Amino acid sequence: MSIKYSSKINKIRTFALSLIFIGVIVMYLGLFFRTSPIIMTLFMVFGMLFLVASGIVYFWIGTLSTRAVQVVCPSCGKVTKMLGRVDLCMFCREPLTLDRELEGKEFDEKYNKKRKS
């Protein structure tokens, strides 16, 4: 069984996009309670909170992305951004690392966990 990995920046962007869809769906569900204004308002407020949370996550990943290390992928030759010790190319999913100790080792996201000294 192979695990499907994705770059960290793309994972966070996908999460933010899912928050938008969840918020819209929750607000849409609120329309089924038009006869009860209180329940409908609660659904609308919760849906709006999901949309606001999505905006916050997009803002956060945008600021994080500006501080990410830019590297040229050795496989596809495109410039990609890297977060942590190991990450994947955003375009071809080639494993990337800036840590000489990890070169040649199999890709594992556990390498990004804090090391105990």
Side-chain angles (χ1 to χ4, degrees):
M1 180 177 104
S2 71
I3 299 172
K4 188 174 180 182
Y5 292 107
S6 176
S7 73
K8 286 182 220 63
I9 292 176
N10 284 344
K11 280 183 187 176
I12 298 170
R13 286 179 180 157
T14 301
F15 173 71
L17 183 62
S18 67
L19 284 176
I20 289 175
F21 286 121
I22 291 169
V24 169
I25 289 169
V26 168
M27 290 170 68
Y28 184 75
L29 290 174
L31 293 176
F32 290 112
F33 298 100
R34 278 183 262 185
T35 57
S36 176
I38 294 173
I39 295 174
M40 185 179 87
T41 303
L42 284 174
F43 272 91
M44 295 297 170
V45 168
F46 282 133
M48 198 62 177
L49 288 176
F50 278 109
L51 295 177
V52 169
S54 172
I56 291 169
V57 171
Y58 269 122
F59 179 77
W60 173 67
I61 193 59
T63 57
L64 194 62
S65 180
T66 60
R67 292 184 281 138
V69 178
Q70 290 187 355
V71 296
V72 177
C73 176
S75 181
C76 67
K78 295 181 180 177
V79 176
T80 186
K81 294 181 179 182
M82 197 173 139
L83 294 174
R85 292 175 68 199
V86 294
D87 204 353
L88 295 177
C89 175
M90 294 172 134
F91 306 101
C92 67
R93 295 188 181 178
E94 174 78 19
L96 302 170
T97 184
L98 296 175
D99 193 345
R100 296 266 184 218
E101 297 173 11
L102 299 176
E103 285 182 7
K105 291 185 179 180
E106 189 170 337
F107 180 80
D108 192 356
E109 289 182 334
K110 292 178 186 171
Y111 292 132
N112 288 322
K113 302 271 191 262
K114 297 255 187 223
R115 289 186 267 180
K116 295 182 181 178
S117 301

